[in-house]
Amino acid sequence: MTILSFTFFTLFILTVGSDYKVLGLTTTTKASGERYVQMRAGAPFKIALFADLHYGEATSTDRGPLQDVNSTRVMNTVLDDETPEYFGYFCFFFGLKLYLTDCIADFLIYLGYVITANNLPIANASLYWDQAISQTKSRGILFASVFGNHDDEPFEWQKEWFPAPGIPLLICPAVNSTHSGEEACSFRCTQRIELMKHEIEHNVPSYSSNGPKALWPSISNYVIQVSSSDDPKSPVVYLYFLDSGGGSYPQVISNAQAEWFQNKSEEINPNSRH
């Protein structure tokens, strides 16, 4: 097992080799309700990871919004550059054919710290989450996300916000808010379960999952199967996602999560065949 740790905005590209000859990238759903991604033919399966985007950080300063603009620019550049070696193939997802000549990476993972919730005095921090994933969604790239400790941290007053009179210079982001009046500044975070519910319901290419309720409030624990392009039932790689906690509950990989991982891997991948 490889542990990847990120402390700042990071990009990581992972490729899985393939000699398969069936054309196209497909995704579908197992009878058990778990979805899987089927590899394209004749090309590696390419995964891009974005970590520590921190959208919504320092919203009351010039630095924060500029940081979001720069992050969006970097992601656009990366996703535009990470184009397959050949064009004109069909991209498939959710049973729909998309005639795209510029399908980008096969899969993208948001690896926590997507937003800085403790800097957001609004209940609907999902607006910043949507901003962070919009570059992927607009391109029709399949993606999944896992939570870190900043994604649902409670709102915190920053000392630099308090001038000499002691009154904080807070400007509620009503322009970007679906709330009005006092509700625009609720001074509470948008918790994991709310963010995940929003992503699942409103972002069609998302493969994220609530995970087993026995592990809640640790939400983003799930597994995605990457299948052979020859046979959707033939797994090539399993992608395991573990919620690292933090924010609304302690930052920890619990014994319950470790047990779930062990039981799940023994169920779907006995003897570590894949």
Side-chain angles (χ1 to χ4, degrees), residues 21-229:
K21 298 180 181 179
V22 179
L23 187 66
L25 172 69
T26 66
T27 70
T28 187
T29 305
K30 296 181 180 179
S32 62
E34 295 178 356
R35 287 178 293 179
Y36 61 88
V37 181
Q38 190 169 355
M39 297 182 70
R40 287 186 290 114
F45 186 83
K46 184 181 293 185
I47 302 174
L49 303 184
F50 286 131
D52 291 78
L53 296 171
H54 287 279
Y55 273 79
E57 184 170 282
T59 56
S60 61
T61 69
D62 293 335
R63 176 184 66 83
L66 179 60
Q67 175 177 285
D68 293 346
V69 170
N70 289 337
S71 294
T72 297
R73 188 182 71 250
V74 170
M75 286 192 290
N76 275 327
T77 301
V78 169
L79 295 177
D80 287 343
D81 288 347
E82 288 299 324
T83 316
E85 296 176 359
Y86 57 93
F87 303 94
Y89 60 83
F90 298 146
C91 282
F92 297 79
F93 66 98
F94 298 102
L96 299 177
K97 282 186 181 179
L98 297 183
Y99 296 87
L100 301 178
T101 59
D102 212 15
C103 299
I104 318 294
D106 295 305
F107 203 77
L108 194 144
I109 296 172
Y110 290 93
L111 199 61
Y113 301 1
V114 177
I115 60 176
T116 304
N118 53 302
N119 287 170
L120 302 176
I122 57 175
N124 55 336
S126 57
L127 292 171
Y128 286 95
W129 191 278
D130 288 345
Q131 185 180 349
I133 67 175
S134 63
Q135 318 312 314
T136 303
K137 182 179 178 181
S138 65
R139 289 169 169 81
I141 303 173
L142 304 177
F143 69 92
S145 59
V146 64
F147 294 126
N149 68 308
H150 286 281
D151 294 311
D152 73 342
E153 280 189 315
F155 174 72
E156 296 178 3
W157 292 101
Q158 304 296 316
K159 291 182 179 179
E160 57 268 25
W161 294 353
F162 288 81
I167 305 298
L169 297 174
L170 177 66
I171 301 176
C172 296
V175 175
N176 297 321
S177 174
T178 57
H179 294 68
S180 60
E182 295 180 357
E183 289 183 337
C185 281
S186 65
F187 308 110
R188 76 170 184 85
C189 65
T190 304
Q191 294 187 344
R192 276 172 165 76
I193 186 61
E194 297 173 284
L195 288 171
M196 186 62 79
K197 181 176 185 292
H198 175 83
E199 180 170 318
I200 293 172
E201 291 181 353
H202 296 91
N203 296 297
V204 175
S206 173
Y207 262 42
S208 300
S209 173
N210 282 323
K213 286 190 176 182
L215 299 179
W216 288 14
S218 180
I219 299 297
S220 53
N221 302 285
Y222 56 97
V223 59
I224 296 174
Q225 175 182 311
V226 179
S227 299
S228 158
S229 61

